[in-house]
């Protein structure tokens, strides 16, 4: 299986602190060493760093830990291969274009009985995850051929295709187009919203503490979403199994 | 305008030497400082590094210069903005999926009178380049809806849509799916094929020499394609305006 890390904020923020702890799980504090990836939205633009090396050994991960890229929507993944070999083509997040927007997707889980034929979007690699992503986008596209609909219309369609896929296995995911940030919990996913009054946070996987009060303004709000909590002195909220949340400006919503 | 750098080889090779000289043109030896990008194919997988910063100031470019990523198909671009603002979303190369393969595209030129309505692939940014890329892929997809055809069938369709677009302005490009490597010269594009007996090469933009004989085997063959020559002690071959070449295993072909 794998682990997920996501971030959604009301102002562009760097993810260096969270990624430091998260990436340690890619071979040091945990066994997710079959590749990793991270996507940063900057407006409608998106950059995606992928590597089939473990996150602790990858020179590219080293840059991501050190170089503060400011973004409002971030999706990261460390991989422990189940379906599909260890190869760049099977690293998450995956990216496609829909309605003139980039969509990015990462999955934690295993879909043992999932089969889907898609024509519009086709998987390049061999993972169940990329096949599921293709089906999600194909379903959205067929439901709304002319462009992105209002969230109230998009949400139930996404919820339905998600439920169909989730019935075939474990399906925790993060999905974003740089505007909305969807998180689906099938078995395990939690989040924390950091906002004023900010405090210090201490990582579980590294002995590192950051005092967010020194780095933020009172208006900042940052949601961090992860498979399991990244810090040991904050209260993380478990998302309920079966729940599809939509984060915007650092706040979770149910539509 | 912009500059292009491509590489196609018969064995995975790193592009550190060529990128060192090329990226110097992103603000030091030339004025192409409005962003940059590079795509590396590894099998069917592809990783794309993009940055709206200049190639000489970008920490990500620094990693690409120092970290030898081995690939058989590489496309790089440094940007001097014409159409579309300085933003990540307008940085080349662009990437889309077609027939279960990633396609990557970078353009040097300016298409002043180019207008195209595409439905399947839609541009995310504001460049003429991404619009042209979308039209190319849409044309290929409509011509061959079930999958990638043999090169002999694909080539004339690509040639025709290329000619249509090139009629509207300057349109030098690099295009690849990790199998074929297409280069089109509208006004300015050249290449060199390095093979045994290998010799030393000296960059134009940096005082750096590499002796390829020490780094290669007698069977290696590497084609480097660029807007203008990168070395001053080798003979670069100008591609003729209007010529669409297909590189495979480091050799150019006309179909």
């Amino acid at each position: 299986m794998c682990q997920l890390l996501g971030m959604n904020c009301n102002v562009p923020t760097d993810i260096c602190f969270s990624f430091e702890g998260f990436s340690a799980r890619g071979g040091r504090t945990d066994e997710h060493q079959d590749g990793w990836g991270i996507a940063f939205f900057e407006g409608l633009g998106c950059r995606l760093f992928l590597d089939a090396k473990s996150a602790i050994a990858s020179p590219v991960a080293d840059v991501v830990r050190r170089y503060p890229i400011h973004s409002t929507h971030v999706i990261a993944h460390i991989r422990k291969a189940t379906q599909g070999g260890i190869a760049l083509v099977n690293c998450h997040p995956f990216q496609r274009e829909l309605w003139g927007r980039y969509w990015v997707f990462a999955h934690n889980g295993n879909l043992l009985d999932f089969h889907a034929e898609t024509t519009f979007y086709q998987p390049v690699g061999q993972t169940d995850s990329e096949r599921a992503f293709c089906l999600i986008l194909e379903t959205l596209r067929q439901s709304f051929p002319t462009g992105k609909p209002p969230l109230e219309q998009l949400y139930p369609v996404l919820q339905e295709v998600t439920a169909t896929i989730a019935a075939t296995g474990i399906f925790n995911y993060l999905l974003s187009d740089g505007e909305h940030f969807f998180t689906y919990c099938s078995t395990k996913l939690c989040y924390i919203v950091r906002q004023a009054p900010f405090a210090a946070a201490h990582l579980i996987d590294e002995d590192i503490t950051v005092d967010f009060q020194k780095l933020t303004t009172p208006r900042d709000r940052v949601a961090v979403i992860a498979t399991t909590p990244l810090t040991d002195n904050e209260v993380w909220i478990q998302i309920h199994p079966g729940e599809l949340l939509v984060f915007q400006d650092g706040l979770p919503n149910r539509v």
Side-chain angles (χ1 to χ4, degrees), chain A:
Chain A
M1 299 249 265
C2 313
Q3 289 212 8
L4 299 171
L5 168 65
M7 186 177 75
N8 173 249
C9 341
N10 63 349
V11 290
T13 305
D14 79 72
I15 198 169
C16 293
F17 174 71
S18 296
F19 189 71
E20 181 85 40
F22 182 69
S23 63
R25 299 177 181 178
R28 188 180 302 130
T29 60
D30 210 334
E31 58 180 1
H32 311 280
Q33 55 193 358
D34 300 335
W36 68 280
I38 189 166
F40 298 88
F41 278 95
E42 297 173 36
L44 285 178
C46 181
R47 48 177 156 187
L48 186 56
F49 298 89
L50 297 170
D51 206 336
K53 288 186 180 165
S54 71
I56 58 164
S58 160
V60 185
D62 203 40
V63 180
V64 174
R65 274 187 294 266
R66 289 184 295 105
Y67 172 34
I69 296 175
H70 291 83
S71 172
T72 51
H73 298 68
V74 180
I75 291 180
H77 185 270
I78 47 176
R79 182 162 190 248
K80 179 162 167 49
T82 48
Q83 298 183 42
I86 300 173
L88 188 66
V89 75
N90 291 327
C91 291
H92 310 214
F94 300 100
Q95 182 188 303
R96 293 288 190 280
E97 175 262 312
L98 166 62
W99 303 316
R101 312 180 73 102
Y102 293 120
W103 289 77
V104 165
F105 174 86
H107 167 218
N108 150 246
N110 195 11
L111 305 170
L112 282 173
D113 298 314
F114 175 65
H115 308 283
E117 281 296 313
T118 51
T119 54
F120 213 100
Y121 296 98
Q122 288 180 42
V124 180
Q126 293 79 42
T127 63
D128 50 338
S129 312
E130 193 186 7
R131 291 202 306 276
F133 179 41
C134 288
L135 180 62
I136 287 175
L137 291 194
E138 186 126 331
T139 303
L140 292 177
R141 185 163 199 141
Q142 286 174 341
S143 302
F144 308 102
T146 57
K148 189 177 178 185
L151 181 63
E152 294 69 29
Q153 293 175 35
L154 190 153
Y155 184 92
V157 175
L158 179 60
Q159 200 173 34
E160 190 181 341
V161 65
T162 296
T164 307
I165 299 169
T168 71
I170 299 173
F171 192 48
N172 305 290
Y173 74 70
L174 306 178
L175 170 73
S176 183
D177 67 342
E179 182 182 17
H180 296 106
F181 195 109
F182 299 97
T183 67
Y184 182 74
C185 176
S186 154
T187 55
K188 196 158 68 170
L189 199 59
C190 61
Y191 71 91
I192 185 167
V193 174
R194 296 193 182 111
Q195 54 193 341
F198 287 96
H202 179 261
L203 289 179
I204 292 173
D205 297 86
E206 302 272 355
D207 186 16
I208 297 176
T209 300
V210 163
D211 185 353
F212 287 111
Q213 197 168 6
K214 294 179 180 164
L215 305 169
T216 50
T217 73
R219 293 183 51 209
D220 294 0
R221 191 169 52 225
V222 178
V224 178
I225 305 104
T227 299
T228 62
L230 291 167
T231 56
D232 54 18
N233 65 332
E234 298 177 297
V235 178
W236 291 68
I237 299 163
Q238 296 294 330
I239 305 178
H240 297 297
E243 197 164 31
L244 176 66
L245 298 181
V246 194
F247 287 80
Q248 266 190 298
D249 295 326
L251 275 187
N253 290 295
R254 290 161 194 82
V255 175

